[in-house]
Amino acid sequence: MEYSAGKYDVIVVGGGHAGCEAGLAAARMGCKTLVVSLNISNIALMPCNPSVGGPAKGQLVREIDALGGEIGLNTDRAALQMRMLNTGKGPAVHALRAQADKTVYQMNMKSVLENQPNLDVKQVLVERLVVKNGRVAGVIGSTGAVFSAEAVILTTGTYLKGRIIIGDLAYPGGPSGNPNSITLSEHLSALGFSLLRFKTGTPARVDRHSIDFSKMSEQPGDEKLLNFSYVTKVKEREQISCWLTYTNDETHRIIRENLHRSPLYSGFIKGTGPRYCPSIEDKVVRFAERPGHQVFIEPEGRDTTEMYVQGMSTSLPEDVQLAMLRTLPGMEKVEIMRTGYAIEYDALDPTQLKLSLETKMIAGLFSAGQINGTSGYEEAAAQGLMAGLNAALHVKSREPLILSRSDAYIGVLIDDLVTKGTNEPYRLMTSRAEYRLLLRHDNADRRLTEKGFGVGLVDEHRYKLLEKKKQIIMGEIERLKVAMVPVTEKTKAILERKKSTPLQQSIPMEILLRRPEIDYMDLMDMESGNAENLPEEIRDAVEIEVKYEGYIKKQMAMVEKFERLESKKIPQDINYLDMKGVSTEAAQKLDRIRPESIGQAARISGVSPADISVLLIHLEQKRRLAEVKA
């Protein structure tokens, strides 16, 4: 029997990484918010790897933090170690990666939600949405509880019709032995939503006591303190190492001899798996020429002996998993604590969403995370933040915040999903971003914190700190343009040590800093002054802006061209199917996706430059006709 259980502005269905960010964003923007979870003990659960960040993903975490989100702060609090990746490459691909204590991460995030003003947390199995006149009006739980709201955000992860698979064993369930959600998935289909069937998986967890680390390579964290959040309070961290080993011919032999028992190859698994995070059996088949694959042994926490076997994701039977793990150097006597498994689940076709992550079919209904076809904690959290703040803006009758591809990796992620769709679990990579030199790890706050302040997620104190930081950076760059490098014995010695061409006369410091072999601290060694007292993040920002000025200007010119196409808006009532001169495929895709701009239309697969030309002519004719009528 149904009964009224409460009225809210925003309801978030699901308490994973997307749900946490969505709920916090909406509540922090002043909306009365409810987060419901199948099991509130599993809020912020990390069911897969115990890491956060890495290439592109690390940039996402920094962007979420810059906008006022929580994943960066929470990772800093729970980190076992931090490493900056790709330091041998340019700043466009530098990325921070953390190993997190899963339990600490989960408990800290749960505490943040429970103590957030305007936010309630309840254990509810949502079975249906309340929809009235094409608008969402709330949710209905399995007990008959009806919660009403102007906006609902679905962040159901891999729980929709979840199915766990280990060898030829399969049973209904969500990650880590949790229950799944069947009725809600069927309800979404009944409402007319198109669903996809995807698959992901995890490796086994093994007992630290059964590993011989002397046969592996140690992977320590960076010596200097690193953090994701720009406003973190973490000042010190005891680092715990990861370990590296490799598969070998014997590992591959065992896998090949048991492929007939693999549900991935027997046809038992129907869902599409992630191309960029394949199972070990898939890697052995696809890369048969490789003598070995990297395997990282990662701690799951400070107070547990469980270790995560990164690189060995599998759905092979349990006996095969143990046999292949025991072929790895250092793991000859290893014991499995949790068996690896695959999970199939339902997801929404993301082309059914607007760039705000609101569904096109039902007003006020948003979705974020793996339900939108993505993989990864970071991709989920980024979508959750954007869905949460846009749901709050929807409730306040304000325009949504849309991040473009030139604004943020978050913009790339959402635009890829909504405009191009995905036929496999989507993973964000640096190669997907056209303007990655502008979307760097170091400048996320300078790109996005003002936007977070504009919507009410970032407070005034943090905004003023950012403004001060920007002034210091620009001030130092201007100083370097006029400050001269003296031709002294000290300068000659530094240049000789750096194998840099000697100076014949004094030149501006900015000019010298452009040399690849010279860094900011070299300049400080050449002069006496207070500049060397600047914080490291300021010094790094100044150095990057000076060294890459030419490249940055080229990308800015590309962005200006891109933004001209993005500024050409397309009326949402346009009839593509009756438009003459557009190919049938283009007309059908334009009609289904209904792009908001010419730029977005041009990125739709199957829409050619010729189709865009016809569309531009049609819009111009429509504009002129409107002027005549006026």
Side-chain angles (χ1 to χ4, degrees):
M1 182 173 176
E2 293 181 4
Y3 69 97
S4 178
K7 180 175 175 57
Y8 293 87
D9 296 316
V10 178
I11 295 174
V12 181
V13 182
H17 301 277
C20 289
E21 295 291 350
L24 290 171
R28 288 168 177 173
M29 289 173 64
C31 291
K32 187 181 180 184
T33 305
L34 172 66
V35 172
V36 299
S37 173
L38 282 168
N39 183 348
I40 59 175
S41 295
N42 290 331
I43 283 175
L45 178 71
M46 301 178 84
C48 196
N49 57 307
S51 67
V52 175
K57 292 170 176 282
Q59 282 89 332
L60 280 180
V61 176
R62 293 279 276 186
E63 290 176 353
I64 295 166
D65 180 73
L67 286 163
E70 194 68 25
I71 187 174
L73 284 163
N74 204 51
T75 301
D76 292 346
R77 293 189 289 260
L80 300 172
Q81 71 153 250
M82 290 270 193
R83 292 183 72 184
M84 185 66 77
L85 307 182
N86 298 329
T87 53
K89 301 178 182 179
V93 292
H94 289 181
L96 188 58
R97 186 174 190 265
Q99 295 299 137
D101 185 311
K102 286 186 169 184
T103 301
V104 172
Y105 184 97
Q106 189 181 351
M107 291 300 101
N108 278 343
M109 186 67 88
K110 184 171 181 283
S111 177
V112 169
L113 262 69
E114 291 174 346
N115 291 286
Q116 172 63 46
N118 296 323
L119 181 62
D120 289 345
V121 177
K122 295 181 184 292
Q123 185 164 299
V124 179
L125 171 58
V126 171
E127 294 191 330
R128 285 176 292 152
L129 303 173
V130 180
V131 180
K132 297 177 181 178
N133 300 319
R135 306 183 68 85
V136 75
V139 301
I140 303 174
S142 59
T143 62
V146 180
F147 299 93
S148 60
E150 290 182 54
V152 172
I153 308 171
L154 300 177
T155 63
T156 52
T158 60
Y159 286 84
L160 291 184
K161 283 193 176 177
R163 178 174 176 252
I164 302 295
I165 303 164
I166 306 170
D168 57 3
L169 172 67
Y171 55 89
S176 300
N178 290 298
N180 64 359
S181 174
I182 296 175
T183 307
L184 181 57
S185 180
E186 294 172 345
H187 176 65
L188 291 172
S189 291
L191 287 172
F193 286 103
S194 174
L195 299 182
L196 308 170
R197 189 70 173 168
F198 282 167
K199 164 254 173 190
T200 188
T202 73
R205 274 63 156 185
V206 298
D207 190 342
R208 181 185 184 91
H209 295 316
S210 64
I211 301 173
D212 182 357
F213 293 108
S214 68
K215 297 181 180 180
M216 300 180 179
S217 300
E218 187 173 7
Q219 305 288 303
D222 288 352
E223 288 186 10
K224 71 175 182 179
L225 181 73
L226 298 169
N227 284 301
F228 274 112
S229 176
Y230 290 95
V231 293
T232 188
K233 294 181 180 178
V234 176
K235 302 299 181 185
E236 60 181 354
R237 179 179 295 113
E238 181 188 351
Q239 308 238 52
I240 296 180
S241 293
C242 298
W243 301 85
L244 174 63
T245 186
Y246 290 86
T247 63
N248 50 55
D249 288 341
E250 181 63 10
T251 319
H252 301 170
R253 181 191 66 77
I254 290 173
I255 291 171
R256 289 192 187 100
E257 288 181 356
N258 287 279
L259 283 177
H260 65 285
R261 300 180 67 192
S262 166
L264 190 63
Y265 288 91
S266 68
F268 195 46
I269 290 178
K270 305 298 182 184
T272 305
R275 187 193 327 176
Y276 300 104
C277 188
S279 65
I280 185 61
E281 53 265 42
D282 203 17
K283 284 191 279 190
V284 167
V285 171
R286 285 166 54 187
F287 308 107
E289 73 287 354
R290 292 275 295 272
H293 296 277
Q294 285 187 332
V295 178
F296 290 93
I297 310 302
E298 302 172 343
E300 296 234 327
R302 294 186 189 276
D303 301 315
T304 178
T305 64
E306 277 191 87
M307 304 289 283
Y308 185 88
V309 190
Q310 174 75 31
M312 295 287 281
S313 176
T314 185
S315 56
L316 283 163
E318 192 172 57
D319 60 307
V320 180
Q321 291 188 35
L322 183 60
M324 69 181 184
L325 286 174
R326 285 184 171 176
T327 66
L328 305 184
M331 299 181 71
E332 293 84 357
K333 298 180 180 179
V334 78
E335 293 292 342
I336 292 176
M337 295 180 73
R338 301 194 201 204
T339 307
Y341 63 87
I343 181 170
E344 286 186 323
Y345 57 95
D346 284 351
L348 286 174
D349 179 343
T351 61
Q352 298 169 106
L353 306 174
K354 301 176 184 178
L355 290 169
S356 63
L357 296 181
E358 183 182 19
T359 65
K360 297 169 183 174
M361 191 182 305
I362 299 175
L365 178 63
F366 296 76
S367 66
Q370 284 187 271
I371 187 177
N372 288 347
T374 58
S375 65
Y377 307 143
E378 304 86 353
E379 288 91 340
Q383 294 172 72
L385 179 85
M386 297 307 296
L389 70 85
N390 279 325
L393 292 173
H394 171 83
V395 170
K396 297 171 184 285
S397 299
R398 292 173 58 187
E399 287 296 310
L401 174 63
I402 307 296
L403 298 179
S404 76
R405 301 181 73 88
S406 60
D407 287 328
Y409 271 91
I410 296 175
V412 175
L413 164 66
I414 294 175
D415 184 67
D416 277 355
L417 290 172
V418 173
T419 305
K420 302 174 183 178
T422 186
N423 55 12
E424 63 186 15
Y426 175 99
R427 177 180 179 177
L428 188 62
M429 297 177 289
T430 53
S431 60
R432 297 188 191 271
E434 304 93 319
Y435 313 112
R436 53 186 174 272
L437 185 55
L438 303 180
L439 311 182
R440 302 187 308 275
H441 175 272
D442 68 280
N443 70 353
D445 58 340
R446 286 177 280 153
R447 289 185 280 118
L448 298 173
T449 296
E450 186 174 355
K451 294 180 185 292
F453 178 68
V455 298
L457 262 180
V458 171
D459 63 29
E460 188 172 2
H461 173 69
R462 181 170 181 180
Y463 176 66
K464 286 182 177 178
L465 288 177
L466 169 69
E467 289 298 299
K468 183 179 179 180
K469 175 182 175 180
K470 288 161 67 174
Q471 289 173 7
I472 294 172
I473 291 170
M474 294 310 299
E476 180 61 5
I477 291 173
E478 291 303 313
R479 189 188 75 83
L480 294 181
K481 289 179 180 179
V482 296
M484 305 299 285
V485 179
V487 183
T488 63
E489 291 302 317
K490 186 177 183 181
T491 298
K492 290 178 182 178
I494 292 170
L495 292 176
E496 185 177 347
R497 188 179 76 243
K498 287 299 190 93
K499 298 180 180 179
S500 190
T501 305
L503 296 179
Q504 303 302 318
Q505 60 184 25
S506 294
I507 62 172
M509 287 189 164
E510 181 199 35
I511 302 300
L512 187 61
L513 185 55
R514 289 177 185 171
R515 295 185 182 184
E517 69 276 9
I518 300 298
D519 60 38
Y520 182 89
M521 292 311 295
D522 292 328
L523 299 185
M524 298 307 100
D525 287 343
M526 294 175 190
E527 72 163 5
S528 58
N530 297 322
E532 60 186 353
N533 295 324
L534 291 175
E536 185 177 7
E537 65 171 346
I538 300 291
R539 302 197 302 262
D540 290 346
V542 169
E543 185 170 327
I544 291 169
E545 293 291 339
V546 171
K547 282 188 180 295
Y548 294 90
E549 181 185 17
Y551 297 104
I552 290 171
K553 284 182 176 178
K554 286 181 182 179
Q555 287 219 336
M556 289 301 296
M558 293 169 60
V559 168
E560 288 179 14
K561 183 178 179 181
F562 162 78
E563 288 179 345
R564 284 197 294 272
L565 291 175
E566 295 301 303
S567 67
K568 293 183 184 294
K569 299 301 180 182
I570 302 175
Q572 290 302 293
D573 61 352
I574 193 169
N575 189 338
Y576 295 104
L577 299 178
D578 288 344
M579 193 179 297
K580 295 179 180 178
V582 175
S583 71
T584 302
E585 179 187 8
Q588 290 173 347
K589 289 191 173 180
L590 288 165
D591 182 66
R592 179 166 61 87
I593 295 173
R594 308 210 70 78
E596 297 179 18
S597 68
I598 290 295
Q600 187 186 0
R603 293 190 294 276
I604 298 173
S605 174
V607 177
S608 70
D611 296 319
I612 294 299
S613 296
V614 173
L615 180 55
L616 283 168
I617 292 169
H618 178 84
L619 292 177
E620 179 62 19
Q621 290 174 340
K622 194 170 183 179
R623 184 189 66 80
R624 290 180 179 179
L625 183 61
E627 285 183 351
V628 170
K629 289 182 177 179

